[in-house]
Structures are given as C-alpha cells and as structure tokens.
C-alpha cells in the first residue's frame, strides 16, 4: 500500500499553531485531492518536562487509514 490509498488521517500536534507548517509537509506526501484530515492538539503527558521556554518536546503523531481496492470493486461501486 502507499499514500495514494490513504482516505483519512488523524493528526496529533503539540500545538495547533504548528498546523500551517505541518500541512506544508503533509501536502508533499499526497498527490491530487488530500485525504480527509482531523487535527487535534494533544494534552502534554505528565512524564514529559518542558524546556526553559515552557515548551514540551515535539511529539507529533499521525494515524492513517488506507483502503486497498480492486478495479472490480470500484466498477461495482460506481454502477
């Protein structure tokens, strides 16, 4: 499977203000229409300690859902 089969993503960012930078990189991996995307801001886990500026180490995560279909399945669906 590859990125062309991804239909939905859930993105977990430490800070929603990072969305623009993340989306710039995100769009480099997908061609054509982007998959459905949900973006959430994580709550910092209790065992991570902030740096001198009270920022937590970046812990961005992304969950992908991909669908593998055959041409036959697509043809049946489109009829």
């Amino acid at each position: 499977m590859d990125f062309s089969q991804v239909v939905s993503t859930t993105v977990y960012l430490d800070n929603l203000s990072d969305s623009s930078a993340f989306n710039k990189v995100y769009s480099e991996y997908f061609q054509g229409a982007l998959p459905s995307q949900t973006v959430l801001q994580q709550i910092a886990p209790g065992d991570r300690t902030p740096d001198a500026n009270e920022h937590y180490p970046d812990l961005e995560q992304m969950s992908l859902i991909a669908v593998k279909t055959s041409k036959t399945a697509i043809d049946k669906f489109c009829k």
Side-chain angles (χ1 to χ4, degrees), residues 4 15 27 29-30 34 51 53 66 69:
S4 71
N15 190 328
S27 66
Y29 289 87
F30 299 99
L34 296 175
D51 63 17
N53 295 319
T69 59

Side-chain angles (χ1 to χ4, degrees), residues 17-43:
S17 67
D18 295 335
S19 293
S20 292
F22 181 86
N23 284 333
K24 192 173 192 177
V25 174
Y26 181 88
S27 66
E28 293 176 16
Y29 289 87
F30 299 99
Q31 303 299 316
L34 296 175
S36 170
Q37 181 188 62
T38 301
V39 179
L40 304 165
Q41 182 169 323
Q42 308 183 97
I43 296 174

Side-chain angles (χ1 to χ4, degrees), residues 1-11 22 25-37 61-68:
M1 300 198 63
D2 59 40
F3 284 114
S4 71
Q5 296 164 305
V6 174
V7 296
S8 179
T9 64
T10 303
V11 178
F22 181 86
V25 174
Y26 181 88
S27 66
E28 293 176 16
Y29 289 87
F30 299 99
Q31 303 299 316
L34 296 175
S36 170
Q37 181 188 62
Q61 301 173 58
M62 184 167 57
S63 171
L64 307 171
I65 298 174
V67 176
K68 186 172 184 176

